[in-house]
Amino acid sequence: MKRVLYTLAAAGMLWLLPTACGDDREPASGPEGSDSDAPIEGYTKYWAEEFDGTTLNTLNWNIETGLAANQELQYYTDRSENLRVEDGCLVIEARKESMGGRAYTSARINTKGKVQIKYGYIEARIWLPAGQGTWPAFWMMGTGASSWPLCGEIDIMEHVGKTPDKVTHALHTMNANGNNGRNWNGSTTLAEAEGHWNTYGLLWEQETDQDYGRITFYVNGEPSTWKFQPQGADEYEWPFDNYFYVILNLAIGGTMGGAVNDAIFDDAVLMKVDYVRMWTRSSAQ
């Protein structure tokens, strides 16, 4: 199988609107010498972000700033108070402070135009904050169309403080999405979702002559829930045969986050990410 992820060599930041989708350019050649510790048999590591430096690597990541969608209450910034790399982790901190007409600040980053993948296994090790009103997410947006929901959306992990022992997964398409209330979703009970490290993964399999396509969500290495590609589905029903890029963010309030308990800000409200890794099916498979 040909490699399906690409990294652009261009430096600098790309400033994006919160709901923007990508383009569908052909992949360039990928990194040399990928190997190793695949969580899924038959897959080879293709790309990884370990957050080992002291600043965010803008060859891989874009920082989004400004107002957010989904009735969220935060203003996204690129300040170190909200976004930093320290002790081998990405740290996103939500703060109670006024900016841009909002009562809170936070951060959101994405790999649009820099790291994109089509089929494979994607995983991140994440520490989630606690508290009513928090809404951290690890998710992906498609590049096959210029607008949402036609481009497709894969929510690998979302968590809201009002349900502290649950993480959710979702798929959004043109026909079934959050706006019309028909999007597919599933959830996992996780007693130590908040204030602990857990891994969240996605196995994204291509349709073949022998098998349907399938998207399977994982929590701590175990399958949580899955969705098969409907037979004969078009792009309005199944846009998950294009390249997708990764998004990490910590929202406050909004359609899922709900009402905010400001007492949570007596302590630091942090989302931490140890790594983001991607694997593709080994060529021999």
Side-chain angles (χ1 to χ4, degrees):
M1 174 182 286
K2 69 177 182 180
R3 290 176 173 175
V4 294
L5 177 148
Y6 67 90
T7 302
L8 298 182
M13 296 181 184
L14 179 62
W15 302 97
L16 305 170
L17 293 174
T19 56
C21 296
D23 54 29
D24 199 19
R25 289 169 285 186
E26 282 297 309
S29 59
E32 297 294 327
S34 49
D35 68 345
S36 89
D37 58 342
I40 306 295
E41 184 178 357
Y43 283 73
T44 300
K45 185 182 288 184
Y46 193 87
W47 175 86
E49 172 63 86
E50 304 293 338
F51 299 111
D52 286 336
T54 57
T55 59
L56 186 69
N57 182 356
T58 55
L59 292 178
N60 293 334
W61 299 96
N62 308 299
I63 304 173
E64 301 186 33
T65 62
L67 302 177
N70 304 313
Q71 302 176 35
E72 298 165 23
L73 302 178
Q74 78 289 331
Y75 188 91
Y76 286 128
T77 88
D78 60 354
R79 306 175 309 157
S80 60
E81 290 89 343
N82 298 113
L83 179 70
R84 55 190 178 272
V85 175
E86 60 184 19
D87 300 325
C89 297
L90 172 75
V91 178
I92 298 177
E93 180 174 355
R95 300 167 65 93
K96 180 172 170 51
E97 57 182 346
S98 297
M99 186 175 293
R102 299 292 174 90
Y104 309 93
T105 61
S106 189
R108 169 167 157 164
I109 62 173
N110 70 65
T111 66
K112 179 186 174 185
K114 297 180 177 181
V115 179
Q116 303 184 137
I117 188 169
K118 181 167 69 171
Y119 311 122
Y121 182 77
I122 303 98
E123 183 180 87
R125 184 169 181 257
I126 301 175
W127 170 290
L128 298 177
Q132 172 72 39
T134 57
W135 180 9
F138 165 40
W139 53 299
M140 303 180 77
M141 192 84 82
T143 67
S146 60
S147 61
W148 183 93
L150 183 59
C151 62
E153 176 182 331
I154 304 172
D155 299 323
I156 303 174
M157 182 283 302
E158 292 182 284
H159 176 268
V160 291
K162 61 186 176 184
T163 53
D165 61 348
K166 184 170 74 172
V167 294
T168 61
H169 325 283
L171 299 175
H172 297 260
T173 71
M174 189 69 183
N175 288 349
N177 56 72
N179 283 351
N180 62 28
R182 298 174 54 204
N183 63 287
W184 177 93
N185 62 83
S187 65
T188 300
T189 299
L190 187 60
E192 295 185 337
E194 299 177 336
H196 293 82
W197 289 104
N198 294 282
T199 59
Y200 305 97
L202 169 77
L203 179 60
W204 178 11
E205 297 174 280
Q206 182 179 11
E207 184 179 34
T208 67
D209 292 338
Q210 293 78 35
D211 296 296
Y212 291 111
R214 180 170 65 172
I215 289 176
T216 306
F217 297 92
Y218 282 73
V219 176
N220 292 327
E222 297 294 329
S224 168
T225 186
W226 53 87
K227 172 70 173 175
F228 282 97
Q229 179 176 352
Q231 187 174 10
D234 61 14
E235 64 177 334
Y236 287 81
E237 188 175 9
W238 191 263
F240 309 113
D241 53 5
N242 288 298
Y243 297 96
F244 275 62
Y245 61 90
V246 170
I247 305 169
L248 295 164
N249 71 287
L250 172 53
I252 297 296
T255 53
M256 280 187 66
V260 181
N261 176 8
D262 285 343
I264 66 175
F265 294 98
D266 291 344
D267 299 308
V269 176
L270 306 176
M271 174 186 181
K272 297 186 285 187
V273 184
D274 184 19
Y275 62 77
V276 180
R277 297 171 184 165
M278 298 179 178
W279 293 259
T280 56
R281 184 174 287 278
S282 304
S283 58
Q285 298 297 311

